[in-house]
Amino acid sequence: MLDDADRRLLRYWQAEPSLSQGELAERAGMTTGRAVRRIARMQELGIVRGVGAVIDWAALGYAVEVSLRITLDKTQGNAFDAFMAEARKVPEVIELQTFLGRVDVRLSIIARDMAHYQQIYRASILTLPHISEIEALMHVARIKASEGLPL
């Protein structure tokens, strides 16, 4: 699906997303027009889903991150869908992941401090439907965080 030129574009873009189209093309060894067409094609194919800002939540005063592993009571047919619909509405939930196995869902939550987290937990998390079990994991440090691929 991708050739070497596409991989070069993606590799340089991942490493330095602020590059202009001309700079990106130059580093990848192609004309700006060719680079723009290739990037547009990769966007149309869904390979490149978007470009955005990475926000440091801690710099904005969010000092607490908690990961909740949740097992749902699946005795009702709509448990999963009902839970996900309501969990999406909680503004402090920054990530939702689903799993196969004992744990069904993992929620990542950010809060300003522990008191704020407790408020979110009691008012927004414990009221979510169909929860049978919750395990909280307090985030201590992010050692590696990369969404980039080794291209």
Side-chain angles (χ1 to χ4, degrees):
M1 181 184 292
L2 296 179
D3 62 14
D4 288 340
D6 291 331
R7 285 187 195 79
R8 275 195 314 275
L9 279 170
L10 291 175
R11 184 171 40 251
Y12 289 118
W13 203 10
Q14 279 184 148
E16 206 171 337
S18 62
L19 289 174
S20 70
Q21 292 177 337
E23 292 169 325
L24 181 60
E26 184 180 328
R27 290 198 186 172
M30 62 183 72
T31 66
T32 301
R34 184 173 174 219
V36 168
R37 285 189 300 277
R38 284 175 171 271
I39 289 170
R41 187 182 111 268
M42 288 188 279
Q43 288 173 324
E44 289 169 11
L45 293 171
I47 295 166
V48 175
R49 294 186 305 186
V51 179
V54 177
I55 298 169
D56 181 350
W57 295 108
L60 294 176
Y62 288 84
V64 173
E65 184 176 340
V66 178
S67 181
L68 298 176
R69 295 182 192 176
I70 297 175
T71 303
L72 298 175
D73 174 8
K74 296 173 283 293
T75 58
Q76 295 190 23
N78 70 339
F80 187 82
D81 293 336
F83 175 86
M84 293 303 268
E86 292 303 310
R88 283 186 182 101
K89 295 177 185 176
V90 180
E92 295 84 3
V93 172
I94 59 170
E95 186 175 23
L96 276 162
Q97 293 180 334
T98 60
F99 297 93
L100 294 174
R102 194 180 71 74
V103 172
D104 296 307
V105 179
R106 186 182 69 81
L107 297 172
S108 288
I109 298 171
I110 57 168
R112 290 183 297 279
D113 52 33
M114 285 304 292
H116 184 220
Y117 168 72
Q118 283 297 314
Q119 177 188 4
I120 295 164
Y121 185 77
R122 290 182 180 138
S124 300
I125 303 303
L126 290 179
T127 61
L128 293 172
H130 308 292
I131 294 175
S132 76
E133 189 176 327
I134 299 177
E135 177 185 10
L137 301 170
M138 178 65 65
H139 178 260
V140 175
R142 182 165 280 111
I143 306 304
K144 180 178 179 182
S146 174
E147 291 189 17
L149 293 174
L151 295 169

